[in-house]
Amino acid sequence: MQTDDLSASVEEACLNAWPALKEIFYDGWLIRLAEGETRRTNSVNVMGAGRYAVADKIAYCEAVYRAHGQPTYFRIRSNDDPALDALLAARGFRAEDETLTLFMDFASTPPQTADRDIEIIGQPPSLEWLAAHARFTGRPVAPIADDGDIRRRLLDLVGLPIAFAAARDGDGDIVSLAYGALHDGLVSLQWVATDPARRREGLSRAVLAALMGWARDQGATGACLQVVATNAPAIALYRQLGFDRELYRYHYRVQ
C-alpha cells in the first residue's frame, strides 16, 4: 500500500476508534464536539479540499465552538496543506503538542506474546476499567458510576469491533490497560495507561501484545497508534514492539 493510502486508512481508523459526540462536516473540514473531553474529539480536522475562502471557514468554526462554550482547536497534520497552519499562526493560534502517528505491519513483525495473563473483554467497558483509566491519567470527568460520564458515552459510540484489555496485580486490581478498535484490517490502539506506581514493569507491553494478538485473530494485518512526540519512554516502547514506521505527525492550534 502506498504511503498516502496507508496514511488515509490509519487516519480513518484512529478517528473511528475515538468518536465525538457531535460532528459537523463543512466544506471539506470535520468539526468535532464532545463537551471539551480531549482535543482529539473537540477540534477541526481537514478531510479534503473545499470551495470557500479559508478565512471565512475559520470564522465559521470559531462561531461553532463559541456557541458550545469551547475554545477553537484545529488539528493540523504534517500532510495537510501548510497554508492553513501559517494562516492560523498569523491569526494568533498557538501550536500545542506535536504527535507522531506510528504503524506496524504484522506481515513483517513476529507476533508479540504477553508474558502475563491479560484480561480481554468486549463492549461495553466495565465501570472498574473506566475508573482505573481515570485514576491512572488523573482526569476524572464525572462520578464513574454515572451513566452520563463522558468517556463512557464516547466509547459507547464506537461502531467498530472493539476490545478492552487489562492487567491485574496479585490483589486483582487493574494496574494497566488499553483498548483497540478494528477498522479495515487495522487495529487502532488507544488509551494506553498504567498505574504510575507500576511503570517500567512491562505492563503496557503485555497489554498491547494481548490486544494485537486479539486483532490478528480477527484478521487484522497491521496496527497503528498516536503518541505525543515528547513522550520518549512510550515511543521507545512502541519502537521495540515493532512500530517502526512513522506515517505523519500532527499538532494542535488554539487561540
Side-chain angles (χ1 to χ4, degrees):
M1 186 182 294
Q2 296 295 318
T3 298
D4 287 349
D5 293 338
L6 180 58
S7 294
S9 294
V10 165
E11 179 72 358
E12 284 183 1
C14 293
L15 286 173
N16 287 330
W18 198 342
L21 294 176
K22 299 177 182 179
E23 294 183 339
I24 301 170
F25 287 93
Y26 176 62
D27 193 41
W29 290 0
L30 173 62
I31 304 169
R32 309 183 89 203
L33 295 154
E35 299 178 7
E37 168 65 11
T38 78
R39 292 167 298 185
R40 180 94 65 91
T41 52
N42 292 273
S43 54
V44 182
N45 296 259
V46 176
M47 308 301 290
R51 312 179 302 281
Y52 304 147
V54 175
D56 293 341
K57 292 170 67 171
I58 292 173
Y60 177 88
C61 294
E62 289 174 324
V64 168
Y65 284 104
R66 186 163 54 248
H68 286 81
Q70 296 182 31
T72 304
Y73 277 96
F74 283 80
R75 179 172 167 267
I76 307 295
R77 295 175 298 169
S78 57
N79 48 7
D80 289 333
D81 184 344
L84 174 60
D85 194 40
L87 181 56
L88 290 170
R91 291 170 67 104
F93 282 76
R94 68 180 183 276
E96 292 184 350
D97 286 348
E98 184 176 38
T99 299
L100 284 61
T101 300
L102 304 178
F103 172 73
M104 175 199 293
D105 185 348
F106 286 168
S108 59
T109 308
Q112 301 287 325
T113 302
D115 59 1
R116 64 191 75 213
D117 291 335
I118 301 297
E119 177 182 298
I120 300 283
I121 60 173
Q123 278 280 46
S126 66
L127 294 179
E128 179 192 19
W129 192 97
L130 288 167
H133 183 269
R135 189 167 66 253
F136 300 159
T137 59
R139 292 176 53 246
V141 178
I144 203 64
D146 183 354
D147 288 341
D149 179 79
I150 185 67
R151 288 155 303 169
R152 190 176 190 186
R153 291 161 62 198
L154 291 174
L155 292 172
D156 282 346
L157 292 174
V158 180
L160 306 173
I162 190 169
F164 296 85
R168 295 181 180 273
D169 63 13
D171 295 325
D173 295 324
I174 294 176
V175 290
S176 185
L177 49 76
Y179 81 83
L182 288 174
H183 170 71
D184 196 23
L186 298 173
V187 58
S188 176
L189 301 170
Q190 304 279 348
W191 289 25
V192 184
T194 295
D195 185 337
R198 301 293 303 272
R199 289 175 182 166
R200 292 181 170 77
E201 295 182 19
L203 294 167
S204 290
R205 176 188 293 273
V207 166
L208 292 172
L211 278 174
M212 287 189 285
W214 165 81
R216 286 177 186 264
D217 291 343
Q218 302 299 310
T221 58
C224 56
L225 54 79
Q226 295 173 323
V227 55
V228 176
T230 55
N231 192 346
I235 293 171
L237 168 62
Y238 300 148
R239 299 290 192 193
Q240 292 167 10
L241 282 169
F243 288 89
D244 57 2
R245 186 171 177 184
E246 181 183 321
L247 296 178
Y248 57 91
R249 297 188 176 202
Y250 66 84
H251 61 271
Y252 294 97
R253 287 276 182 187
V254 62
Q255 195 171 45

